[in-house]
Amino acid sequence: MTRGLHRGRRVLGPTAIVALSAAAVAEVGLLYQVTKRYGRALQQLETAQAAAPTQPAPAAADPRAQLFQFGAPPASVGMNFELPALDGSSHTLAGMSGRRLLLIFISPTCPSSESLLPALAGLPMEPPPDRPRIVLVSSGDPEANRRLVERYGVRHRVLLQERNEVALLYFVSGTPMAYLLDASGVIETNRVEGAQAILGVALAIAAGEALPEARTSPADLTAGPALVPARRGDRLPPFRLPSLDGGELTDAHLLGRRTLLTVFDPRCAPCIDLLPELARLHADDTGPQVVLITRRDPALTRLLTREQPMPYPVALQPHRSYSRRLGVLAAPAACLVGPGGYLESDVAVGQQAVADLARGRGRQSGPRRLATLASLLRQP
């Protein structure tokens, strides 16, 4: 048995053993050199990474900062409060429910706030039941506020906060600012900022003029001829606008495919909330493409694209030039354009209406989603 095994083996001679040993030594030497070089390269890389300046991780969006920047969004439930009035009486938001309110935050030391008072003094203190009542919320010394309203003959209710406790509840970061609340205390519109915008809203509601739609920004209401919104079946007004990528976008680019044409404002919180929905719609080959027309400076929109991808064409309109052609000044707004360039829907105005249009529900909007202002701080 042992003898048979030896016959089957190939016995190596001394020369072959020496050759194999030399090859093994050479292989070990090569492996050592490779490992040595790799170790040096790795050490150099670690040294370079340690010397390089570390990039700070992007800070998470602060919901409180966002709300103070853009204001509480429409469909938010206004926070209840109790404040004394200049006449000594006490009032709560709940106690003033039952009719709409234009809640205006002012300060006796703010020149813009003071510029509002002469025009507000000319508006009725008790308007008809179908029109909002004006309520001023001020701060500071009661006597200074009393002298101010007496100087201009203001008869509207003036409530006094000790500092800015109620303004902080409504994410008011300056004066004058205002909100329009419905009869249940729910915020109807975006925050109105500045004396001119507030005065435009106050005059419009005093005259019984309807705002374009709840959930739109009354700051977009400007003096001028009445606009007629584009309707289903209308030809899309032609446009030739610069695009965000440096090119040009025209209405001809929309031909051949259904398009959700959306009017956008980078400083409008409901507009920004729509961006994920628009990105999903544009990525779906079975649905319409998205084309965005934005206003304000392009740098602001480009900055926003770092946080909210915009994978669709984005055009820039000067002021509201193309919005006027569509017959609507508010944002967000959108219409569905057919492959032939004719509108397949009316112009939808407001976040919920645009979202419904994007989802194919058109005007069949669901129940209004309400949110308390406190809950907005808990959103991721």
Side-chain angles (χ1 to χ4, degrees), residues 108-148:
T109 59
C110 170
S112 295
S113 296
E114 187 173 351
S115 68
L116 270 174
L117 300 183
L120 294 181
L123 300 179
M125 185 179 67
E126 286 297 332
D130 60 334
R131 300 178 191 178
R133 178 186 286 131
I134 295 174
V135 176
L136 302 173
V137 178
S138 189
S139 58
D141 179 57
E143 195 57 39
N145 280 278
R146 190 172 290 109
R147 288 195 302 267
L148 187 65

Coordinates of all heavy atoms in Angstrom, one line a residue, residues 108-148:
P108 N -46.9 101.9 18.1 CA -46.9 103.3 18.2 C -45.6 104.0 17.8 O -45.6 105.2 17.5 CB -47.3 103.6 19.6 CG -46.8 102.5 20.4 CD -47.0 101.3 19.5
T109 N -44.5 103.2 17.7 CA -43.3 103.8 17.4 C -42.9 103.5 15.9 O -41.7 103.8 15.5 CB -42.2 103.3 18.3 OG1 -42.1 101.9 18.2 CG2 -42.4 103.7 19.7
C110 N -43.8 102.9 15.2 CA -43.5 102.4 13.8 C -44.1 103.4 12.8 O -45.4 103.6 12.8 CB -44.1 101.0 13.6 SG -44.0 100.5 11.8
P111 N -43.3 104.1 12.0 CA -43.9 105.1 11.1 C -44.8 104.5 10.1 O -45.8 105.1 9.7 CB -42.6 105.7 10.4 CG -41.5 105.5 11.4 CD -41.8 104.2 12.0
S112 N -44.5 103.2 9.6 CA -45.4 102.6 8.6 C -46.7 102.3 9.3 O -47.8 102.4 8.6 CB -44.7 101.3 8.1 OG -43.6 101.6 7.4
S113 N -46.7 101.9 10.5 CA -48.0 101.6 11.2 C -48.8 102.9 11.3 O -50.0 102.9 11.0 CB -47.7 101.1 12.6 OG -47.1 99.9 12.6
E114 N -48.1 104.0 11.6 CA -48.8 105.3 11.7 C -49.4 105.7 10.4 O -50.5 106.3 10.4 CB -47.9 106.4 12.3 CG -48.5 107.7 12.6 CD -47.6 108.7 13.3 OE1 -46.5 108.3 13.7 OE2 -48.0 109.9 13.4
S115 N -48.7 105.4 9.3 CA -49.2 105.8 8.0 C -50.5 105.1 7.6 O -51.2 105.6 6.7 CB -48.1 105.6 6.9 OG -48.0 104.2 6.7
L116 N -50.8 104.0 8.2 CA -52.1 103.3 8.0 C -53.3 104.0 8.6 O -54.4 103.9 8.1 CB -52.0 101.9 8.6 CG -51.5 100.7 7.7 CD1 -51.3 99.5 8.6 CD2 -52.4 100.5 6.5
L117 N -53.1 104.6 9.7 CA -54.2 105.1 10.6 C -55.1 106.1 9.9 O -56.4 105.9 10.1 CB -53.6 105.6 11.9 CG -52.8 104.7 12.7 CD1 -52.4 105.3 14.0 CD2 -53.6 103.4 13.0
P118 N -54.7 107.1 9.1 CA -55.6 108.0 8.5 C -56.6 107.3 7.6 O -57.8 107.6 7.7 CB -54.7 109.0 7.7 CG -53.4 108.9 8.4 CD -53.3 107.5 8.9
A119 N -56.2 106.3 6.8 CA -57.1 105.6 5.9 C -58.0 104.7 6.7 O -59.2 104.6 6.4 CB -56.3 104.9 4.9
L120 N -57.5 104.0 7.7 CA -58.3 103.1 8.5 C -59.4 103.9 9.3 O -60.5 103.4 9.5 CB -57.4 102.3 9.5 CG -56.4 101.3 8.9 CD1 -55.7 100.6 10.0 CD2 -57.1 100.3 8.0
A121 N -59.1 105.1 9.7 CA -60.0 105.9 10.4 C -61.3 106.2 9.5 O -62.4 106.5 10.1 CB -59.4 107.3 10.8
G122 N -61.1 106.2 8.2 CA -62.2 106.5 7.3 C -63.1 105.3 7.1 O -64.1 105.5 6.4
L123 N -62.7 104.1 7.5 CA -63.5 102.9 7.3 C -64.5 102.7 8.5 O -64.2 103.1 9.6 CB -62.6 101.7 7.2 CG -61.6 101.8 6.0 CD1 -60.7 100.6 6.0 CD2 -62.3 102.0 4.7
P124 N -65.6 102.2 8.2 CA -66.7 102.0 9.3 C -66.2 101.1 10.4 O -65.6 100.1 10.1 CB -67.9 101.5 8.5 CG -67.3 100.8 7.3 CD -66.1 101.7 6.9
M125 N -66.5 101.5 11.6 CA -66.1 100.7 12.8 C -67.0 99.4 12.8 O -66.5 98.4 13.2 CB -66.3 101.5 14.1 CG -65.8 100.8 15.3 SD -66.0 101.8 16.8 CE -67.8 101.9 16.9
E126 N -68.2 99.6 12.4 CA -69.1 98.4 12.4 C -69.6 98.2 11.0 O -70.7 98.7 10.6 CB -70.3 98.6 13.3 CG -70.0 98.5 14.8 CD -69.5 97.1 15.1 OE1 -70.0 96.1 14.4 OE2 -68.8 96.9 16.1
P127 N -68.8 97.5 10.2 CA -69.2 97.2 8.8 C -70.4 96.3 8.7 O -70.8 95.7 9.7 CB -68.0 96.6 8.2 CG -67.3 96.0 9.3 CD -67.6 96.8 10.5
P128 N -71.0 96.1 7.6 CA -72.1 95.1 7.4 C -71.6 93.7 7.9 O -70.4 93.4 7.8 CB -72.4 95.2 5.9 CG -71.9 96.5 5.5 CD -70.8 96.8 6.3
P129 N -72.6 92.9 8.3 CA -72.2 91.6 8.9 C -71.4 90.7 7.9 O -70.7 89.8 8.4 CB -73.6 91.0 9.2 CG -74.5 92.1 9.4 CD -74.0 93.2 8.4
D130 N -71.6 90.9 6.6 CA -70.8 90.1 5.7 C -69.4 90.5 5.4 O -68.7 89.9 4.6 CB -71.6 90.0 4.3 CG -71.8 91.3 3.7 OD1 -71.8 92.3 4.4 OD2 -71.9 91.4 2.4
R131 N -69.0 91.6 6.0 CA -67.7 92.2 5.8 C -66.8 92.1 7.1 O -67.4 92.3 8.2 CB -67.7 93.6 5.3 CG -68.5 93.6 4.0 CD -68.7 95.0 3.4 NE -69.6 95.0 2.3 CZ -70.0 96.1 1.7 NH1 -69.5 97.3 2.0 NH2 -70.9 96.1 0.7
P132 N -65.5 91.9 7.0 CA -64.7 91.8 8.2 C -64.6 93.0 9.0 O -64.7 94.1 8.5 CB -63.3 91.4 7.6 CG -63.6 90.9 6.3 CD -64.8 91.7 5.8
R133 N -64.5 92.8 10.3 CA -64.3 93.9 11.3 C -62.8 94.1 11.4 O -62.1 93.1 11.5 CB -65.0 93.6 12.6 CG -64.7 94.7 13.7 CD -65.3 94.2 15.0 NE -66.7 94.3 15.0 CZ -67.5 93.3 15.5 NH1 -67.0 92.2 15.9 NH2 -68.8 93.5 15.5
I134 N -62.4 95.3 11.5 CA -60.9 95.6 11.7 C -60.6 95.7 13.2 O -61.3 96.4 14.0 CB -60.6 96.9 11.0 CG1 -60.7 96.8 9.5 CG2 -59.1 97.3 11.4 CD1 -60.5 98.1 8.8
V135 N -59.6 94.9 13.6 CA -59.1 95.0 15.0 C -57.6 95.2 15.0 O -56.9 94.5 14.3 CB -59.5 93.6 15.7 CG1 -58.9 93.6 17.1 CG2 -61.0 93.4 15.8
L136 N -57.2 96.2 15.7 CA -55.8 96.6 15.8 C -55.2 96.0 17.1 O -55.8 96.0 18.2 CB -55.6 98.1 15.8 CG -56.2 98.8 14.6 CD1 -56.0 100.3 14.8 CD2 -55.4 98.4 13.4
V137 N -54.0 95.4 17.0 CA -53.3 94.8 18.1 C -52.0 95.6 18.2 O -51.1 95.5 17.3 CB -53.0 93.3 18.0 CG1 -52.2 92.8 19.2 CG2 -54.3 92.6 17.9
S138 N -51.8 96.4 19.3 CA -50.7 97.3 19.4 C -49.9 96.9 20.7 O -50.3 95.9 21.4 CB -51.1 98.8 19.5 OG -49.9 99.6 19.5
S139 N -48.8 97.6 20.9 CA -48.0 97.3 22.1 C -47.4 98.6 22.7 O -47.6 99.6 22.1 CB -46.8 96.3 21.7 OG -46.0 96.9 20.7
G140 N -46.8 98.5 23.8 CA -46.2 99.7 24.3 C -47.1 100.4 25.3 O -48.0 99.8 25.9
D141 N -46.8 101.7 25.6 CA -47.5 102.5 26.6 C -48.9 102.7 26.2 O -49.2 103.2 25.1 CB -46.7 103.8 26.8 CG -47.4 104.7 27.8 OD1 -47.6 104.2 28.9 OD2 -47.7 105.8 27.4
P142 N -49.9 102.5 27.1 CA -51.3 102.7 26.7 C -51.6 104.2 26.4 O -52.3 104.5 25.5 CB -52.1 102.3 28.0 CG -51.1 101.3 28.7 CD -49.8 101.8 28.4
E143 N -51.0 105.1 27.1 CA -51.2 106.5 26.9 C -50.7 106.9 25.5 O -51.3 107.7 24.8 CB -50.6 107.3 28.0 CG -51.1 108.8 28.0 CD -52.6 108.9 28.2 OE1 -53.1 108.1 28.9 OE2 -53.2 109.8 27.5
A144 N -49.5 106.4 25.1 CA -49.0 106.7 23.8 C -49.9 106.2 22.7 O -50.1 106.9 21.7 CB -47.6 106.1 23.6
N145 N -50.4 105.0 22.9 CA -51.4 104.5 21.9 C -52.7 105.3 21.8 O -53.2 105.5 20.8 CB -51.7 103.0 22.2 CG -50.6 102.1 21.8 OD1 -50.6 101.7 20.6 ND2 -49.7 101.7 22.7
R146 N -53.1 105.7 23.0 CA -54.4 106.5 23.1 C -54.2 107.8 22.3 O -55.1 108.3 21.6 CB -54.8 106.7 24.5 CG -56.1 107.3 24.7 CD -56.6 107.3 26.2 NE -56.8 106.0 26.6 CZ -56.1 105.3 27.5 NH1 -55.0 105.9 28.0 NH2 -56.4 104.1 27.9
R147 N -53.1 108.5 22.5 CA -52.8 109.8 21.8 C -52.7 109.5 20.3 O -53.2 110.4 19.5 CB -51.5 110.4 22.3 CG -51.6 111.0 23.7 CD -50.4 111.9 24.0 NE -49.1 111.2 23.9 CZ -48.5 110.6 24.9 NH1 -49.0 110.6 26.1 NH2 -47.3 110.0 24.7
L148 N -52.2 108.4 19.9 CA -52.0 108.1 18.5 C -53.3 108.0 17.8 O -53.6 108.6 16.7 CB -51.1 106.9 18.3 CG -50.7 106.6 16.9 CD1 -49.8 107.7 16.3 CD2 -50.0 105.2 16.8

